Amino acid sequence: MDFTTQLLIAAISAGTPLLLATLGGILTERAGIIQLGAEGLMLMGAVSTCIVYIRSGNLLLALLAAIAVTALLGLVHSFLCVTLRANQTMSGLAMTLFGSGLSAYLGKSISGLPLPGTSPKLNLSWLEGVPVIGDIFGRLDYLTWFSLLLVLMLHLLIHHTSWGLHLRAVGDNPATADVMGIRVQLIRYSYVTAGAALIGLAGADMVLAYAPTWNEGLTAGRGWIAVGLVIFARWNPLRALFCAYFFGALDSLGFRIQLLGSAIPPYFLKMIPYVVTVLVLMYLGYRNRNKPSGTPEALGTPYIREQRF
Amino acid sequence: MSPKNAGNTAAAVLEPPAAKPGKRFGLRLEYDSSRTRSPWWSPVLSVILALLLCALFIVANGMNPVTVYEKMFRGAFGTSYGFTETMVKAIPLLLCGLGIAVAYRISVWNIGAEGQLTVGAMAATAVTIYFPGLSSFWAITLMLIFGTAAGALWGLMTAIPRTHFGVNELITSLMLNYVALLALDYVVFGPWKDPAGFNFPGSPMFTAAQSLPVLGTTRLHIGLIFGLVAVLIYFLMVKFTRWGYELKLIGANPAAARYAGIHIKKHIIIVMLISGGLAGIAGMAEVSGVTHKLMQGISPGYGYTAIIVAWLAKLNPLGLIVTSVLFGGLIVGGYSVQTIGLPSSISEMLQGSILFFLIAGDMIHRFRIRRSA
């Protein structure tokens, strides 16, 4: 395999958790609720997966645990932001702080233990003979295929179904949506919870396919990079695919350069994804200064009937 | 709930349909947006509820929460050693929390205190490495200046993208935390590594002239004075200067402030410089007063804890002193439960849940129960 193919494979592997988390963020924010708790949710998803997988040895159970735990946290976020109309920034921050504390607390007993297995691969042996494509697609696991399918499904959902229309209406103009008979609160609760569960699944993917053991703070800011990716992707699932893989490539590029025996200290190579996140956001801000950014218009503003703001 | 006939009349289009009143008791919750001042009991209650929530996890871990909390409390406040250690932890929390509070006055969300503290510590260490033979006065002064400047510069790197490129400061400041921590790793493993340090990552020990004076035989250092002076200055500035008034105006209504001719971008840059500078002082005080050398993990998450410190204090200067001592105690107490086999991350868990209950409590009191007609 040549360098490019290897980099592509690494980009997909490192990009999949970013993709899942970004899609979760897109769902949440399309409904008009800011999701800044991604880092905490990913950590909770990862630690739940590890604990259940190591204790029970059942992968499916582990994934369900990750989804259940983070969906529960998503419900807390919805309750705070939708029902109580709390500050959405603060709620997300609380989720991140609580998630990193709780995951460290729960994960202490299994820290450093290897998982019983990794995410299983889809059997595509007939593809193996094909040059580049076989190399890349022949080795993808179920979660990666699921994330690819999800991109397509969410794209169709958001842009081509009436459910998606309702979702966008709730995110852009909840008062009008309410008048049209759309159940704003219910939709917000559902999508925030589903989005949180997807971010939890991103954490699960990190330990299953990327770093096969639990370590405190193992996401190392990838949740926050996903928060940035939601903005790069302009709340659009198809764009999210390219953005996530681009960052996956950056993430693994540093590692690859290191393997090639470069003289650059590894610490600087590890800075690349963080620095590029800031630079890309600045570039987008500069380029789109007079253009609509694609932000859901009611993002961050709570809505309750009968009240005017 | 679903209003089936909505949209039939013009009035219905203009006015969202009324919420269905609660059925059984004839009571309903009503939101009163005029109640913006959060009540005094909200911080107290949030601490109590957080203790209760975490008690559940402790029980699940097979421990008695009362024993654990007692151990934490004794460890943090029960002995004179514990108490001075608590105060030592309170110093960076107070300085960082103050910086966060200043920025939050105009809704600038600085969560980068961790990185700003780290670069402050690095800049102070740079003084000891590049100007080794200075007298005590000049060494400390120069370290203070370098530390503050580095923190302020790190804050500026968050402020400029926000003001000139419209980039959310939350993401920028957080990304810069990771960059700062990686830069710290680079210097302690690379160019600044102590050649006599048995290959242990860390800078050479500071000399006595490069260390902050301490109180007697304790580890409590003069950084406490920095913190208290900064709180006093903050209080006076906010209360009595035009600048403080302008911050208040922007915080209350940014649009009105802009019409009044207040340069909001300039203020964002100023508060981020102050915010970063204060965190930089905290970093300088940590290396020079506590660890006496630069090493990995110079901050056990002070920058993040300080966010909660600032919020719990409702940005009030006196409250900041109280909450930073409380959270200093939480960190020290967290260490002391390690002896009975619990991870110290229990203190982080408590911090996060305090914040959860705090923001919920701030909102819950705005709802009142009304009897529906």
Side-chain angles (χ1 to χ4, degrees):
Chain A
M1 265 183 286
D2 59 350
F3 183 80
T4 327
T5 317
Q6 279 183 349
L7 188 65
L8 269 173
I9 292 169
I12 293 176
S13 142
T16 301
L18 289 176
L19 177 61
L20 284 167
T22 307
L23 292 176
I26 289 175
L27 270 190
T28 311
E29 301 208 342
R30 277 283 183 175
I33 304 292
I34 303 174
Q35 177 56 283
L36 293 173
E39 181 80 3
L41 288 169
M42 274 179 82
L43 283 166
M44 285 307 295
V47 81
S48 318
T49 309
C50 285
I51 290 175
V52 176
Y53 200 12
I54 287 175
R55 295 256 189 274
S56 74
N58 187 334
L59 176 65
L60 199 64
L61 212 60
L63 287 176
L64 286 177
I67 292 173
V69 166
T70 47
L72 190 69
L73 284 169
L75 271 180
V76 173
H77 188 55
S78 327
F79 176 70
L80 287 171
C81 299
V82 179
T83 303
L84 292 184
R85 301 199 245 181
N87 185 317
Q88 297 177 7
T89 306
M90 225 49 216
S91 173
L93 220 48
M95 183 111 67
T96 289
L97 292 171
F98 181 68
S100 60
L102 182 59
S103 63
Y105 181 79
L106 297 175
K108 205 76 182 178
S109 59
I110 51 142
S111 184
L113 290 181
L115 293 181
T118 52
S119 184
K121 309 229 179 311
L122 204 59
N123 186 10
L124 292 173
S125 45
W126 51 271
L127 250 178
E128 239 140 68
V130 190
V132 180
I133 293 178
D135 283 332
I136 295 174
F137 288 98
R139 57 183 69 224
L140 300 187
D141 57 49
Y142 277 99
L143 270 173
T144 309
W145 283 111
F146 172 70
S147 68
L148 288 171
L149 192 65
L150 204 63
V151 170
L152 195 67
M153 275 164 47
L154 291 188
H155 170 74
L156 293 176
L157 169 83
I158 292 175
H159 298 286
H160 297 283
T161 66
S162 59
W163 287 346
L165 191 65
H166 291 179
L167 172 64
R168 281 181 288 149
V170 164
D172 280 331
N173 196 333
T176 308
D178 196 1
V179 170
M180 299 306 291
I182 298 169
R183 299 175 69 175
V184 177
Q185 316 287 53
L186 180 71
I187 285 189
R188 285 195 163 172
Y189 261 90
S190 322
Y191 283 103
V192 172
T193 308
L198 268 186
I199 299 171
L201 206 56
D205 184 64
M206 271 218 74
V207 284
L208 286 173
Y210 194 60
T213 169
W214 167 257
N215 279 307
E216 197 178 319
L218 113 166
T219 49
R222 286 189 180 77
W224 286 97
I225 289 182
V227 171
L229 285 177
V230 172
I231 303 172
F232 300 159
R234 289 197 240 152
W235 294 266
N236 179 329
L238 288 183
R239 277 175 198 276
L241 181 73
F242 295 105
C243 297
Y245 286 169
F246 173 65
F247 271 76
L250 280 181
D251 209 352
S252 44
L253 190 65
F255 186 62
R256 304 266 140 196
I257 295 175
Q258 215 177 310
L259 284 186
L260 291 177
S262 139
I264 307 169
Y267 312 102
F268 292 111
L269 299 174
K270 281 190 204 159
M271 285 179 196
I272 294 173
Y274 309 114
V275 174
V276 172
T277 306
V278 174
L279 291 179
V280 173
L281 282 174
M282 283 170 70
Y283 169 70
L284 284 182
Y286 173 75
R287 201 189 59 182
N288 297 335
R289 61 198 179 285
N290 297 322
K291 277 189 269 178
S293 60
T295 320
E297 281 179 26
L299 186 64
T301 47
Y303 171 73
I304 284 189
R305 277 183 191 167
E306 296 182 74
Q307 235 101 43
R308 287 157 179 266
F309 291 94
Chain B
M1 287 285 276
S2 167
K4 291 277 187 288
N5 298 322
N8 281 355
T9 62
V13 174
L14 293 172
E15 204 69 47
K20 213 172 185 177
K23 284 173 240 166
R24 223 161 294 161
F25 304 107
L27 297 174
R28 65 191 178 112
L29 281 176
E30 191 172 82
Y31 183 83
D32 182 355
S33 54
S34 67
R35 290 183 168 187
T36 46
R37 276 185 74 94
S38 51
W40 63 269
W41 46 260
S42 148
V44 182
L45 193 66
S46 59
V47 172
I48 295 171
L49 288 174
L51 286 172
L52 288 176
L53 176 71
C54 292
L56 292 179
F57 287 104
I58 296 172
V59 171
N61 219 321
M63 298 266 185
N64 181 352
V66 180
T67 327
V68 173
Y69 288 148
E70 196 192 341
K71 183 98 186 158
M72 285 180 81
F73 186 79
R74 272 176 201 275
F77 299 102
T79 61
S80 61
Y81 171 76
F83 185 69
T84 51
E85 279 301 293
T86 295
M87 295 304 286
V88 168
K89 305 282 178 208
I91 294 166
L93 292 178
L94 180 59
L95 284 162
C96 294
L98 189 61
I100 289 164
V102 172
Y104 187 68
R105 287 198 86 84
I106 58 171
S107 294
V108 173
W109 304 89
N110 178 20
I111 55 170
E114 186 82 358
Q116 293 147 10
L117 183 149
T118 303
V119 295
M122 285 166 64
T125 309
V127 174
T128 70
I129 286 177
Y130 298 112
F131 310 97
L134 293 174
S135 69
S136 179
F137 173 79
W138 284 111
I140 300 287
T141 310
L142 210 57
M143 285 163 85
L144 198 55
I145 293 172
F146 269 56
T148 315
L153 181 76
W154 219 245
L156 188 68
M157 281 164 62
T158 297
I160 298 289
R162 158 82 195 255
T163 53
H164 290 77
F165 301 92
V167 181
N168 187 329
E169 71 277 12
L170 277 158
I171 299 174
T172 326
S173 60
L174 201 103
M175 293 293 115
L176 289 175
N177 284 351
Y178 290 102
V179 173
L181 288 179
L182 285 166
L184 174 70
D185 283 353
Y186 168 66
V187 294
V188 296
F189 281 102
W192 291 358
K193 189 155 100 179
D194 184 5
F198 302 103
N199 223 18
F200 186 78
S203 75
M205 286 297 279
F206 290 12
T207 62
Q210 294 157 345
S211 302
L212 290 178
V214 292
L215 179 76
T217 55
T218 67
R219 300 211 301 162
L220 185 57
H221 55 87
I222 202 164
L224 183 64
I225 310 285
F226 298 167
L228 295 176
V229 168
V231 167
L232 186 69
I233 295 175
Y234 167 75
F235 174 74
L236 296 175
M237 292 285 276
V238 165
K239 199 97 182 163
F240 297 110
T241 65
R242 181 200 161 106
W243 175 74
Y245 176 71
E246 289 187 347
L247 286 193
K248 199 173 167 184
L249 215 58
I250 299 172
N253 190 341
R258 194 163 30 240
Y259 287 126
I262 295 175
H263 203 314
I264 293 183
K265 284 185 180 179
K266 188 185 80 185
H267 278 287
I268 291 177
I269 290 174
I270 293 173
V271 295
M272 277 309 297
L273 284 172
I274 296 174
S275 196
L278 283 168
I281 295 177
M284 175 272 173
E286 276 301 294
V287 278
S288 174
V290 184
T291 60
H292 303 295
K293 65 173 183 177
L294 190 67
M295 53 185 195
Q296 264 191 308
I298 191 84
S299 161
Y302 289 134
Y304 301 112
T305 303
I307 300 168
I308 313 172
V309 166
W311 260 73
L312 201 63
K314 306 280 171 208
L315 317 183
N316 172 310
L318 205 66
L320 271 166
I321 297 177
V322 177
T323 53
S324 49
V325 172
L326 179 73
F327 276 73
L330 209 52
I331 295 173
V332 175
Y335 292 144
S336 66
V337 294
Q338 284 177 312
T339 54
I340 53 171
L342 274 178
S344 67
S345 42
I346 182 163
S347 95
E348 284 171 57
M349 222 169 84
L350 270 169
Q351 294 168 19
S353 38
I354 288 173
L355 189 56
F356 257 132
F357 287 114
L358 186 67
I359 53 177
D362 280 354
M363 301 309 290
I364 282 176
H365 87 287
R366 295 191 189 181
F367 291 87
R368 51 174 129 207
I369 300 169
R370 275 283 174 82
R371 193 167 301 170
S372 49

